[in-house]
Amino acid sequence: MPYIPHTPDEVRAMLEVIDAPSVEDLFADIPAGMRPRSFDLPKGRSEFEVIRHLESLAARNNTQMASFLGAGFYSHHIPSAVDALSGRGEFYTAYTPYQAEASQGTLQAIFEYQTAICRLMELDAANASVYDGGSALFEAMMMALRQTRRRKLVICESLSPIYRIMLSTYSANLNLDLTTISHAGGLPDFQALENAIDDQTAAIIVQNPNFFGAVLDYQRLFEQAHAKGALAILQVYPVLQSILKTPGEMGADVAVAEGQSLGLPLSFGGPYLGVMACSKGMIRQLPGRIAGRTTDVDGRTGYVLTLQAREQHIRRAKATSNICSNQALCALRAHIHMCLLGPEGLARTAEISMDNARYAAERLLEIPGVALLNDAPFGNEFAVTLPVSAFEVVNRLTAKGFLPGFPLGRYYHGMDNALLVACTEQNSREQIGILAELLRAEIATRNGGAV
Amino acid sequence: MKTAFQKSVPGRMATVPGEPTRRAVEMLPPELLRANPPRLPELSELDVVRHFTELSRRNFGVDANFYPLGSCTMKYNPKFTEQVAALPGFTRLHPLMGQLEDAGHHAQGALEVMYELERLLREITGMAAFTLHPMAGAHGELTGAMLIAAYHKSKGRQRTKVICPDSAHGTNPASAALAGFEVVNIESRDGIVDPEALAQALDENVAAVMLTCPNTLGLFEKHLDRIVELTHGVDALLYYDGANLNAILGKMRVGDVGFDVVHLNLHKTFGTPHGGGGPGAGPVGVAKRLEPFLPISRVVKLRDGRFFLDYDYPQSIGYVAPFYGNFGVLLKAYAYILRLGREGLIRVSENAVLAANYLRRRLEDAFEIPYNRVCMHEFVASAVRQAQNGVRALDLAKGLLDRGHHAPTVYFPLIVKECIMIEPTETESKATLDAFVDDLLELAELAQTSPETLATAPHATPVRRLDETKAARSMVLTDDAE
């Protein structure tokens, strides 16, 4: 039997010590009436056969397309050393570091990751991770509710629609007032957001770059929130955060991010990385695990999980969150990635991605009928309106091996002709040129040949 | 050992892209840019490799050490599953490709993995339907609690309470509370749920009862049929915490015996690695009456054999994950199940239960075993006798570290004093089990003859006993805080 080492002799020897006649006897507590009605599973296969089977399934996924699809999840180069180092058995087969003396590798790595995140965000503390960007946003929201003891959240509609659905799912039974302020042509309506914040508001939640790719400054909005006793939650994109105005500079109380762009493959939706950082005053509200530095009996520097009184295994129903397993290995990968790229590498990645996006915008805007959704500054992603359905364009171009972007109508009512286009350092100028040509041809066809 | 930041040398670079054509200041107005670059480490690639290699050497892991952690199921993580999860046909796939009409056409392999895994999990557990979206066990518990709330809401009632036994894992009450419920604890009797206590606590305001079986003491819930009857009697739902599923594969299916909602821990029962604290995966299975509320999307197979992601479920609770769950983890569990097959999975539970009982019998003379009867895949010992000499469960744990074993779970469940919860799993050899017993017996001996040596353990680890009080008091959570 795979992975089970016991020989029949060893089984017999153990049964003798137990003083049981057979292994089946050890299950006597399960009455006959509770035995499985069926257990109709396939016969076990050899390692070779299973690998072959999975390879054939992998081959049925088309990952060869030139892709301009982002929408919060981006294909950046992951240096080989990230796999090599995080693939060490001492890291990935380790357990949660509750026995700190036997887990200094994991704990120091978490401590360093927390430090890197704080420096990226210019905030005071970070946790060891939560599941993904959406759950990070939910946990940030819960932090604000606990801190202010208020029940209202003001949410910008240009925050990821995927995450807004998650927030509403998690909030369903919590008696909260989630107020969504409509976007204006892919931009936050600052006046409406300001008007919506009152003395019942726990927090304002925005995203930079926003879902449409626009890069803005939320400092004034955050000042307005603070003036009313509300907190500011900012969701960011870690790669671009290496050059953009920081949550700290803007006065955010909590910053969250999807950490996938830091060394995690797209992998059809996960595992990803929920990044959370906060200001000093919010530390006790942080959910999840946190590593802290201390000393041992000989005065050596060491690391432990700390402030555990916040967590489920101590506080149970009164914990800051229910989270137990988080995404530790993903946080390790992200930290290794940040160490390999460094400030210059991350900045260059952001800049090349942004430069490619500007070139793509130029080429696409040459096509008659194609316009930018708005004229706000953008990062590496921008939205265009087309004279035809973006859904159809995506369908037709994927058949030709090009994924031109994300049809915004998927999540935004009345935006069926809008396409969200992302570039990273992995897109070449040549690819962008072909994309523009294909799009031009597609639009021309749909317009009955008129160019 | 220095941190990566302490090793940083200004200007040093590792894996950076080539110089960009334009810099940020040429593309965005300065007021949108950060004033200073982030102070991330500046290291060479070799610096990074050395640093993390050295860090890895300061860790225990299943690959090197026995980890008899109760309720964690630290079984061997098969290497071929890493290979399978790293296939570029999976790693390079953008999740949104599953949702775009024709692009779904280009993700058929991934959709089939999900569809097939759900099918296998249904058969393993006897549940009617599954969602693979929850990204950890506790996340599965939260999802389950939300499904329970949706069920009662659909019946036009507002039930506010969830019952948990005092032996429940902390995530059970924490998850119920996060879903808006009030948690009621009931006391165990003779280590298991007392149907009388349950009957007293049950009323028309109870939404659900959360159980695990075997429970956290490794004991089979003998009154399970009565518990099912009582719970369903008030139309409350019965929740199964799947952390201990390793004990009952092929021996009992929770769907058959009356559980309504179940979460599984793929990083326990199905051999995916713990990663130092995740990523895991916590798929949730439901009985038919809860199916309409499952999170969207759901993988559907069309008549022509193609798969697609269906979002059209009006009663769904919504999204619990951004996409379809921790797909890279799901892949490993899928491969594991295919590898083991029917017989392999049954042998898993048989050998897990055999190993646990073997350890129990070998340790019962030296240690107090509160419920010393046939256990399932784990059992609980208590260090009360050793504590009389000043040697507590914590000290024994540290003593085990010195002998190269990770300690068992200590101080959980809360209902046993000086608790030591031991779960060997089915993948450890008899030689390893015997070495562990010998070491633990030696520690019990030391607890009698020279207890002071254990109070100062561990001695052989990279750091010795750490000051946790100081850590919480001084709150140094980054390299910048002192």
Side-chain angles (χ1 to χ4, degrees):
Chain A
M1 279 297 132
Y3 321 121
I4 298 173
H6 307 305
T7 63
D9 282 347
E10 288 175 323
V11 170
R12 261 190 293 276
M14 289 195 274
L15 282 171
E16 246 189 72
V17 168
I18 297 169
D19 194 23
S22 70
V23 169
E24 203 42 51
D25 201 70
L26 300 173
F27 290 89
D29 276 345
I30 308 179
M34 284 191 179
R35 296 294 172 132
R37 285 186 204 151
S38 79
F39 201 65
D40 209 351
L41 295 164
K43 195 158 144 14
R45 295 194 250 177
S46 71
E47 183 176 302
F48 166 70
E49 287 171 309
V50 181
I51 292 174
R52 258 301 139 86
H53 174 66
L54 268 306
E55 280 175 344
S56 78
L57 288 176
R60 305 234 313 272
N61 300 323
N62 188 339
T63 53
Q64 299 304 312
M65 285 194 256
S67 176
F68 297 86
L69 182 56
F73 308 87
Y74 304 93
S75 175
H76 290 289
H77 176 68
I78 301 173
S80 309
V82 175
D83 280 346
L85 292 167
S86 65
R88 291 180 70 86
E90 300 91 333
F91 282 131
Y92 84 86
T93 71
Y95 182 61
T96 305
Y98 290 128
Q99 293 292 346
E101 301 85 358
S103 320
Q104 288 299 292
T106 296
L107 284 164
Q108 185 173 330
I110 293 173
F111 182 85
E112 291 183 12
Y113 162 81
Q114 287 166 190
T115 306
I117 292 300
C118 285
R119 291 181 181 192
L120 189 63
M121 307 292 194
E122 292 187 326
L123 287 170
D124 304 308
N127 67 15
S129 72
V130 293
Y131 312 126
D132 79 299
S135 30
L137 214 40
F138 169 68
E139 294 285 7
M141 186 182 90
M142 295 304 288
M143 289 173 71
L145 294 173
R146 287 191 298 268
Q147 185 90 335
T148 63
R149 295 176 201 266
R150 299 177 179 181
R151 317 295 293 162
K152 177 175 165 185
L153 287 317
V154 174
I155 300 170
C156 185
E157 202 196 6
S158 61
L159 183 79
S160 162
I162 295 169
Y163 294 162
R164 284 186 287 109
I165 296 173
M166 285 176 74
L167 287 182
S168 119
T169 302
Y170 287 132
S171 307
N173 307 306
L174 299 179
N175 276 326
L176 303 177
D177 170 6
L178 298 182
T179 300
T180 303
I181 304 300
S182 302
H183 72 91
L187 293 173
D189 181 345
F190 282 102
Q191 192 56 65
L193 283 164
E194 190 193 333
N195 293 345
I197 304 171
D198 57 24
D199 59 10
Q200 291 309 299
T201 306
I204 166 104
I205 309 179
V206 293
Q207 175 182 333
N208 191 47
N210 72 10
F211 189 72
F212 302 91
V215 171
L216 298 162
D217 185 357
Y218 294 91
Q219 186 171 342
R220 212 181 92 82
L221 182 65
F222 291 169
E223 283 162 6
Q224 288 157 356
H226 290 151
K228 300 259 176 73
L231 297 173
I233 297 171
L234 180 65
Q235 184 200 313
V236 300
Y237 170 9
V239 171
L240 257 53
Q241 197 49 69
S242 62
I243 53 154
L244 295 179
K245 187 165 181 177
T246 65
E249 285 170 316
M250 289 192 197
D253 299 284
V254 187
V256 299
E258 171 49 67
Q260 175 271 320
S261 58
L262 296 174
L264 298 173
L266 288 167
S267 197
F268 204 56
Y272 287 160
L273 175 62
V275 176
M276 297 187 74
C278 69
S279 62
K280 208 172 181 143
M282 303 282 298
I283 290 177
R284 300 231 170 244
Q285 299 300 342
L286 260 184
R289 295 168 180 152
I290 302 177
R293 177 182 278 159
T294 185
T295 48
D296 76 356
V297 292
D298 291 334
R300 267 183 219 96
T301 299
Y303 302 89
V304 290
L305 290 179
T306 192
L307 303 179
Q308 291 189 66
R310 295 161 302 113
E311 295 190 73
Q312 51 80 25
H313 56 292
I314 312 272
R315 292 297 293 273
R316 297 172 73 88
K318 297 195 165 70
T320 49
S321 167
N322 71 334
I323 193 166
C324 188
S325 286
N326 41 85
Q327 306 285 103
L329 197 71
C330 301
L332 174 68
R333 286 182 66 101
H335 178 49
I336 296 170
H337 187 83
M338 286 190 279
C339 285
L340 287 166
L341 264 64
E344 182 61 21
L346 267 187
R348 288 186 189 187
T349 304
E351 287 159 337
I352 297 169
S353 303
M354 283 173 44
D355 193 43
N356 282 343
R358 274 145 187 72
Y359 178 65
E362 270 165 46
R363 294 299 310 271
L364 294 185
L365 290 176
E366 288 166 359
I367 305 168
V370 177
L372 285 173
L373 182 64
N374 57 57
D375 56 14
F378 57 87
N380 68 322
E381 193 164 28
F382 59 94
V384 287
T385 51
L386 309 175
V388 296
S389 157
F391 291 99
E392 307 228 359
V393 159
V394 167
N395 282 346
R396 296 298 300 260
L397 263 54
T398 53
K400 297 184 174 149
F402 268 73
L403 202 40
F406 184 65
L408 284 160
R410 169 79 182 83
Y411 283 109
Y412 287 92
H413 192 61
M415 294 190 82
D416 286 359
N417 287 11
L419 183 71
L420 186 65
V421 182
C423 293
T424 68
E425 79 287 0
Q426 298 199 313
N427 299 109
S428 67
R429 299 248 151 169
E430 194 194 337
Q431 262 182 8
I432 293 169
I434 300 171
L435 171 72
E437 276 162 41
L438 287 174
L439 189 56
R440 178 188 291 270
E442 187 52 37
I443 288 171
T445 314
R446 300 215 154 260
N447 280 347
V451 169
Chain B
M1 189 188 148
K2 289 199 177 138
T3 66
F5 306 95
Q6 291 162 352
K7 294 177 181 175
S8 181
V9 175
R12 205 172 270 184
M13 290 197 266
T15 333
V16 302
E19 286 213 35
T21 323
R22 286 186 279 182
R23 309 265 16 193
V25 284
E26 299 166 69
M27 293 185 278
L28 288 171
E31 59 270 18
L32 295 179
L33 300 175
R34 62 191 293 155
N36 303 298
R39 291 176 304 122
L40 296 174
E42 292 175 86
L43 300 163
S44 71
E45 187 167 327
L46 180 56
D47 288 338
V48 176
V49 170
R50 289 243 167 98
H51 181 71
F52 287 95
T53 301
E54 193 185 339
L55 276 180
S56 78
R57 291 208 185 117
R58 294 157 82 85
N59 252 17
F60 276 32
V62 172
D63 276 3
N65 312 89
F66 179 42
Y67 255 90
L69 281 165
S71 270
C72 296
T73 313
M74 296 294 287
K75 66 174 74 182
Y76 170 66
N77 308 123
K79 301 312 167 204
F80 89 97
T81 65
E82 298 299 311
Q83 192 177 320
V84 147
L87 290 169
F90 293 124
T91 60
R92 296 207 181 136
L93 198 56
H94 194 298
L96 284 169
M97 283 186 60
Q99 295 179 30
L100 307 176
E101 201 186 299
D102 268 25
H105 174 61
H106 300 286
Q108 287 293 300
L111 296 179
E112 181 165 340
V113 168
M114 285 161 39
Y115 183 85
E116 282 301 308
L117 180 57
E118 285 184 18
R119 192 176 64 81
L120 290 166
L121 294 178
R122 287 199 301 271
E123 184 61 20
I124 289 170
T125 59
M127 302 306 289
F130 260 88
T131 173
L132 301 175
H133 297 187
M135 295 173 277
H139 197 210
E141 292 171 31
L142 177 59
T143 302
M146 293 195 284
L147 291 170
I148 288 165
Y151 171 79
H152 289 294
K153 206 167 187 172
S154 78
K155 301 260 165 187
R157 41 192 197 220
Q158 171 83 322
R159 293 198 179 190
T160 57
K161 297 195 280 192
V162 166
I163 296 174
C164 295
D166 52 8
S167 58
H169 193 275
T171 53
N172 288 183
S175 303
L178 205 52
F181 291 109
E182 185 199 317
V183 177
V184 174
N185 281 309
I186 50 170
E187 270 186 42
S188 302
R189 188 143 71 101
D190 199 29
I192 54 178
V193 169
D194 176 7
E196 291 319 307
L198 179 61
Q200 292 239 7
L202 275 171
D203 59 32
E204 299 285 319
N205 208 2
V206 171
V209 176
M210 295 180 84
L211 269 197
T212 184
C213 178
N215 66 14
T216 56
L217 296 167
L219 303 173
F220 185 79
E221 286 287 353
K222 283 212 184 101
H223 308 294
L224 187 55
D225 45 2
R226 184 87 184 103
I227 293 167
V228 172
E229 194 186 3
L230 285 168
T231 305
H232 287 162
V234 296
D235 201 22
L237 297 170
L238 195 56
Y239 183 93
Y240 179 80
D241 176 338
N244 293 330
L245 198 77
N246 214 48
I248 58 169
L249 293 168
K251 301 298 179 188
M252 186 176 92
R253 298 196 318 171
V254 292
D256 293 341
V257 304
F259 284 95
D260 300 294
V261 196
V262 160
H263 89 264
L264 305 178
N265 299 68
L266 299 189
H267 47 294
K268 296 185 181 189
T269 320
F270 298 95
T272 75
H274 277 75
V284 168
V286 295
K288 199 104 193 97
R289 53 189 175 152
L290 286 161
E291 205 177 330
F293 310 106
L294 283 174
I296 39 176
S297 56
R298 299 188 55 192
V299 193
V300 169
K301 188 173 188 175
L302 300 169
R303 232 173 299 176
D304 60 11
R306 280 184 306 136
F307 300 95
F308 91 103
L309 291 170
D310 195 350
Y311 284 83
D312 189 11
Y313 294 92
Q315 290 186 285
S316 166
I317 57 175
Y319 291 6
V320 300
F323 298 105
Y324 327 113
N326 279 346
F327 184 77
V329 176
L330 301 176
L331 270 174
K332 295 181 192 179
Y334 175 57
Y336 176 83
I337 294 168
L338 291 180
R339 176 91 177 87
L340 264 66
R342 184 183 188 278
E343 284 310 306
L345 289 171
I346 297 172
R347 298 289 161 259
V348 162
S349 288
E350 289 177 352
N351 284 281
V353 169
L354 176 70
N357 279 286
Y358 176 67
L359 288 182
R360 177 180 61 85
R361 295 306 304 269
R362 291 215 50 203
L363 293 170
E364 65 189 355
D365 292 330
F367 291 92
E368 182 84 17
I369 312 270
Y371 306 95
N372 199 3
R373 51 188 195 266
V374 170
C375 62
M376 298 210 79
H377 67 314
E378 65 191 4
F379 69 98
V380 151
S382 167
V384 282
R385 266 184 238 164
Q386 289 74 19
Q388 283 165 6
N389 265 20
V391 174
R392 305 179 55 222
L394 186 68
D395 304 311
L396 293 170
K398 304 305 182 191
L400 281 169
L401 299 183
D402 274 337
R403 286 153 181 78
H405 308 296
H406 192 280
T409 306
V410 289
Y411 300 107
F412 179 81
L414 307 168
I415 56 178
V416 170
K417 278 196 157 57
E418 297 299 332
C419 192
I420 301 171
M421 185 175 34
I422 298 172
E423 179 187 354
T425 83
E426 73 286 1
T427 59
E428 299 292 341
S429 69
K430 187 169 174 297
T432 303
L433 299 177
D434 288 335
F436 174 73
V437 166
D438 291 343
D439 286 337
L440 201 43
L441 291 178
E442 195 197 341
L443 290 175
E445 182 66 28
L446 280 176
Q448 295 243 18
T449 58
S450 55
E452 60 294 340
T453 52
L454 289 176
T456 55
H459 303 270
T461 46
V463 297
R464 295 190 50 210
R465 212 178 282 208
L466 290 158
D467 189 343
E468 300 199 1
T469 313
K470 177 179 171 180
R473 211 183 43 230
S474 53
M475 271 175 46
V476 176
L477 310 177
T478 69
D479 221 356
D480 299 309
E482 279 298 354

